[in-house]
Amino acid sequence: MIAKKWLLAGTVASLLLSCAAPAPVHAEAVPYESYNYNYWEEAVPAPAAYIPDRTLTGKDLGVGDFLDPADMVVADSGLIYIVDTGNARIICLDSSWRVDKVITGFDNAGKEETFKNPSGLYVNDEGNLFVADTDNGRIVVLSPDGELLRMIEQPESDILPADFKFIPVKVTVDQAERVYVIAKGIFEGIMQFDENGVFIGYVGTNKVKRDYTEYIWRMFSTKAQKAQMALFVPTEFSNIDVDDKGFLYATNIDPGSKEPVKRLNPSGEDVLKRFGYFDVLGDIRYRMSVGPSKFTDIKVLPDGRYSALDANQGKVFTYNDEGDLLYVYGGKGNQTGTFKIPAAIEYAAGSQLVLDRGKGNIVVFKPTRFGSIVNEAVGYHYNGEDAQAVPVWKEVLKLNANYDIAYIGIGKSLLMEKNNKEAMKYFKLGLDRDGYSVAFKRYRREVMQEHFGTFLTSVMLLAAVWIAYRIFGFWRRKRQSRASRQAPHNLKEGNAHEAGFH
Amino acid sequence: MRQDFIKFPLHLIVHPFDSFWDMKYEGKGKLRVTLTILLLVVISMILKDQFAGFLVNYNDPRHLNSIVQLFTVVFPFFLWCLSNWAITTLMDGEGKFKEIMMATGYALVPIVIIYTPMVVASRFMAEEETAFYYLMMSVASIWFIGLLFVGIMTVHQYTVLKTVVTMLLTVVVMGIVVFLGTLVLSMLQQITEFFINIYRELIFRT
């Protein structure tokens, strides 16, 4: 009886314990692969940096379904603007996703006007809206309350052809109130307008790449064949963003380009840093059917990071200011966190928002622990606080021991602290040959300075021993030769003596 | 021993014309020295890939394989000797197969004596100094080709032009040999497969 009681108690206890034991910790499942490229350009699995948090459709917001939304902007005030292209309206949400207002048109000197296929938007520091009203061929500037401030219409300039038609697609404004516009059918670059809407010129023309096979082929073609061939024209830009220093980040969709992302300085030169193991071009390994990455949007993040949205594969590539690929997330599909036709990427309070044109929704991605500490460490490094970055990088390495940038980051910090030997170790782990060389040179000098005295003493000692040995050898040989010179003489004498004796 | 393994090879690399002459007509040079040199070349190649300094060593350590390296040296060596023998037989070369092997083997000496010290030195080099490493590596290769040229010329008693032509033809023959080899191997494989299939058929029929 007692045994039975004990048995029962034991069973109950074990049941309770098994319930009380923590559920096995699942890595939060994401519907896409997370990876990063190593030095040998292999895609190595990595922890997910961002996971989908929630999805919002127009219906969820209570404004009816989106129809082909093309752009999204988060203002400094935290307001989120969505350009609902198909419905020709702009939806303004507050930071907690409540609808603030819906702009469908504006009052132009007493005349009620509407948008026609608007596809781009920018909000400046004062909260003024710059809407690329595509099919009306104008940029509409509205105040935060939706009043018309001014319009930028068909520019007039000598460098523009007579039959030129202004079809703005994307728009961005820098601190100096200059307006940058990507327009359809313009291959010369990004159109630049001054604060009064006067056309200034183009910036950042994409270079024409000369394809030599095409060139040779052309030599053997007839005039009629040549006319049918594609022209060598530069590609169009797909999107622009501006960072807090007034530099433009632009993406283009040239399929073979090594520089699909550009950072243009005010005079239009590309100054993007590309110090990573490989070029800033999204996926460096892909199947031909999927093709190279085709960037449709770019967003500058805090601390010099920037995210580029790849429409071909529905992935978001985030780089730091030096051109190292930090993490990749997203993919094509129907699950939450994957996209059909991703159109725009934005950043709001630590989360990243991706607008999906195909599904007509917005996906909110929140950083995982891995993602947030990578961001933190990159931030420290960007702001020159390398020493503070070290513990964070070490934390990153605990979550992903294959994260080369962390090794290099620690190496750089150790180099700053003049701990050259340790720095060499970390640079070697991160396969950073330039950093290693600097650390090694300093370490070598240190060792030399430390041991130069000993080294010189031993060299002098060896030299002295060698000289002594040579002198001794010389002296011995001399004595021997003298002895041998005497010896035959004696021998001869002896022989003669002997001979004579007989 | 010392004469064969150290003095003569070292004399040869700086006085190739005399030494290759001596090798052919005075009976200097030994086949076992050639094979030792070949082994040393393999070892120095392995040392280079394994232990050269980080700044000059771009090998993926996961893919280093000493056996593969052994064959990448030994196989081309014999292929070269065989092809050269084949082509020079048709082109009135005076060299015997043994002499061709010895000439080629002795020509490899600079690679041994330059690679190994440079591997050690490369571990103490910063990035700017690695140019010196690459320079020495090129010197070793050029020296080797020069010696090989003189060796082949002396062994077969050729003119300069004829030597150059022969060497180029040898490379072509090497390609043909490799092609024929793979062809024969794949045919052999298919033949064995054919017989194995017949055997299987017979077994399962009964």
Side-chain angles (χ1 to χ4, degrees):
Chain A
M1 195 66 191
I2 292 170
K4 207 177 172 185
K5 217 180 211 169
W6 272 109
L7 207 67
L8 202 70
T11 319
V12 169
S14 67
L15 267 174
L16 274 175
L17 273 177
S18 68
C19 288
V25 181
H26 282 291
E28 279 183 90
V30 284
Y32 43 78
E33 293 165 322
S34 294
Y35 57 91
N36 203 335
Y37 289 103
N38 68 4
Y39 177 79
W40 284 284
E41 305 196 347
E42 297 162 329
V44 180
Y50 279 82
I51 53 170
D53 187 28
R54 60 190 295 195
T55 313
L56 293 137
T57 59
K59 214 172 255 169
D60 296 338
L61 299 167
V63 289
D65 277 329
F66 296 139
L67 186 62
D68 279 341
D71 206 357
M72 174 173 60
V73 168
V74 177
D76 291 346
S77 55
L79 292 175
I80 301 158
Y81 295 87
I82 295 148
V83 183
D84 191 1
T85 308
N87 296 324
R89 60 182 179 174
I90 290 155
I91 293 154
C92 175
L93 310 167
D94 65 12
S95 47
S96 49
W97 300 101
R98 277 187 300 265
V99 176
D100 191 46
K101 57 178 174 283
V102 177
I103 304 166
T104 51
F106 52 90
D107 182 57
N108 184 10
K111 203 171 76 184
E112 200 58 33
E113 287 209 33
T114 54
F115 301 118
K116 202 170 166 195
N117 212 5
S119 52
L121 178 72
Y122 189 80
V123 183
N124 72 358
D125 302 342
E126 295 149 27
N128 293 340
L129 268 64
F130 292 73
V131 184
D133 194 1
T134 306
D135 283 1
N136 282 331
R138 64 189 176 187
I139 305 280
V140 179
V141 187
L142 301 176
S143 75
D145 306 323
E147 288 162 26
L148 180 71
L149 295 176
R150 63 177 190 272
M151 282 202 276
I152 302 170
E153 282 169 313
Q154 181 80 13
E156 281 170 16
S157 170
D158 296 341
I159 61 170
L160 293 171
D163 58 344
F164 173 74
K165 198 162 182 321
F166 184 52
I167 311 168
V169 181
K170 301 286 175 196
V171 60
T172 287
V173 184
D174 71 0
Q175 282 92 331
E177 291 292 308
R178 272 181 305 223
V179 182
Y180 297 93
V181 177
I182 293 176
K184 229 177 246 173
I186 298 292
F187 301 102
E188 285 88 347
I190 299 164
M191 298 181 88
Q192 193 183 15
F193 296 88
D194 70 5
E195 64 266 44
N196 302 319
V198 177
F199 179 63
I200 307 171
Y202 297 108
V203 285
T205 312
N206 284 320
K207 280 198 188 73
V208 182
K209 220 175 31 192
R210 185 172 291 201
D211 186 349
Y212 282 97
T213 51
E214 184 100 349
Y215 199 72
I216 294 165
W217 199 236
R218 236 159 214 276
M219 290 192 338
F220 299 107
S221 310
T222 62
K223 236 177 198 165
Q225 283 171 329
K226 271 183 204 164
Q228 284 195 334
M229 278 184 193
L231 285 166
F232 290 106
V233 284
T235 44
E236 283 177 85
F237 283 98
S238 56
N239 219 322
I240 35 175
D241 196 17
V242 66
D243 71 2
D244 50 6
K245 285 178 188 153
F247 285 65
L248 280 182
Y249 282 73
T251 52
N252 65 58
I253 50 172
D254 186 357
S257 174
K258 288 268 163 223
E259 297 167 344
V261 177
K262 286 195 169 97
R263 183 173 188 245
L264 304 169
N265 68 4
S267 52
E269 287 160 66
D270 181 16
V271 291
L272 190 77
K273 288 185 191 166
R274 295 182 177 87
F275 297 152
Y277 292 149
F278 33 82
D279 295 321
V280 178
L281 44 74
D283 264 330
I284 49 172
R285 286 241 173 148
Y286 46 82
R287 265 172 264 126
M288 281 320 279
S289 56
V290 188
S293 297
K294 185 177 143 192
F295 291 133
T296 52
D297 195 10
I298 187 159
K299 177 66 193 167
V300 181
L301 307 172
D303 303 326
R305 287 177 290 130
Y306 53 93
S307 284
L309 181 66
D310 170 15
N312 257 358
Q313 305 174 68
K315 288 177 187 167
V316 177
F317 295 88
T318 305
Y319 293 87
N320 68 4
D321 66 311
E322 293 182 347
D324 295 307
L325 181 61
L326 296 175
Y327 37 76
V328 182
Y329 67 87
K332 280 243 162 140
N334 286 316
Q335 289 153 289
T336 303
T338 55
F339 318 114
K340 217 165 170 184
I341 310 170
I345 180 162
E346 264 302 328
Y347 170 84
S351 302
Q352 294 201 347
L353 323 174
V354 177
L355 178 71
D356 193 332
R357 185 181 192 138
K359 289 185 195 164
N361 65 8
I362 302 164
V363 189
V364 182
F365 286 88
K366 68 166 199 266
T368 59
R369 203 169 109 72
F370 175 69
S372 51
I373 58 175
V374 166
N375 291 346
E376 194 190 345
V378 169
Y380 281 133
H381 182 64
Y382 182 73
N383 295 316
E385 293 157 343
D386 283 280
Q388 271 163 287
V390 170
V392 189
W393 279 132
K394 289 207 168 141
E395 202 62 32
V396 170
L397 287 175
K398 272 184 204 160
L399 297 176
N400 181 8
N402 288 324
Y403 207 65
D404 291 344
I405 306 158
Y407 290 113
I408 298 171
I410 295 173
K412 279 178 180 161
S413 168
L414 290 169
L415 198 64
M416 297 275 183
E417 291 166 19
K418 299 211 161 51
N419 188 348
N420 300 322
K421 201 177 176 192
E422 277 289 295
M424 272 163 67
K425 193 179 104 190
Y426 277 99
F427 280 130
K428 208 168 179 177
L429 284 169
L431 289 163
D432 180 356
R433 289 196 160 75
D434 296 331
Y436 178 86
S437 180
V438 174
F440 175 72
K441 237 189 311 187
R442 290 198 197 166
Y443 177 65
R444 190 175 59 179
R445 198 187 303 143
E446 257 173 45
V447 172
M448 292 271 258
Q449 276 168 354
E450 200 177 324
H451 296 292
F452 191 65
T454 341
F455 173 73
L456 214 61
T457 314
S458 44
V459 164
M460 295 277 271
L461 217 65
L462 277 176
V465 167
W466 187 69
I467 289 167
Y469 174 78
R470 289 302 294 264
I471 289 172
F472 176 71
F474 180 70
W475 174 70
R476 201 174 56 179
R477 241 177 293 135
K478 205 169 167 189
R479 216 177 64 156
Q480 257 174 3
S481 65
R482 202 187 299 146
S484 60
R485 225 183 298 135
Q486 270 173 355
H489 186 67
N490 287 347
L491 202 68
K492 230 183 259 172
E493 235 174 35
N495 282 346
H497 184 71
E498 250 175 40
F501 195 75
H502 277 284
Chain B
M1 182 76 180
R2 198 170 157 208
Q3 175 65 33
D4 286 343
F5 280 91
I6 297 164
K7 276 205 173 153
F8 182 63
L10 290 184
H11 185 257
L12 180 135
I13 58 174
V14 281
H15 300 98
F17 287 96
D18 298 355
S19 304
F20 279 120
W21 182 274
D22 285 353
M23 197 177 78
K24 191 169 169 63
Y25 294 107
E26 306 289 327
K28 280 195 174 178
K30 297 238 161 31
L31 205 57
R32 61 167 188 270
V33 181
T34 304
L35 294 177
T36 313
I37 292 168
L38 198 60
L39 183 72
L40 288 176
V41 170
V42 173
I43 290 170
S44 53
M45 288 283 189
I46 292 169
L47 287 179
K48 185 185 84 125
D49 282 359
Q50 179 90 45
F51 295 110
F54 174 63
L55 292 175
V56 292
N57 195 342
Y58 289 87
N59 290 305
D60 187 344
R62 294 169 298 174
H63 299 152
L64 284 182
N65 186 341
S66 297
I67 303 295
V68 169
Q69 291 216 294
L70 178 79
F71 284 111
T72 50
V73 175
V74 172
F75 179 68
F77 175 82
F78 284 104
L79 191 60
W80 163 269
C81 294
L82 195 76
S83 311
N84 191 262
W85 175 76
I87 204 79
T88 50
T89 311
L90 297 175
M91 291 177 72
D92 308 324
E94 287 181 17
K96 303 189 200 92
F97 185 69
K98 190 184 159 192
E99 287 168 356
I100 296 169
M101 257 179 85
M102 285 198 298
T104 314
Y106 278 89
L108 284 166
V109 171
I111 291 190
V112 178
I113 61 168
I114 290 181
Y115 272 28
T116 321
M118 285 322 288
V119 167
V120 177
S122 72
R123 298 186 71 89
F124 301 99
M125 281 176 177
E127 203 152 38
E128 304 91 86
E129 292 140 26
T130 56
F132 185 67
Y133 172 84
Y134 293 120
L135 174 77
M136 289 310 283
M137 289 292 165
S138 322
V139 165
S141 310
I142 292 165
W143 199 349
F144 160 65
I145 289 170
L147 286 180
L148 187 65
F149 175 77
V150 176
I152 295 294
M153 199 165 83
T154 316
V155 160
H156 297 301
Q157 294 294 304
Y158 278 165
T159 58
V160 172
L161 185 70
K162 201 169 180 186
T163 314
V164 173
V165 172
T166 320
M167 283 171 84
L168 291 178
L169 278 176
T170 307
V171 175
V172 173
V173 172
M174 280 166 83
I176 294 170
V177 170
V178 168
F179 172 70
L180 289 177
T182 40
L183 198 70
V184 168
L185 276 181
S186 91
M187 275 169 71
L188 276 178
Q189 194 196 349
Q190 287 186 8
I191 289 168
T192 46
E193 228 158 70
F194 172 68
F195 282 112
I196 287 169
N197 282 341
I198 288 176
Y199 172 72
R200 276 196 192 135
E201 287 279 328
L202 288 175
I203 281 194
F204 289 120
R205 275 300 148 91
T206 47

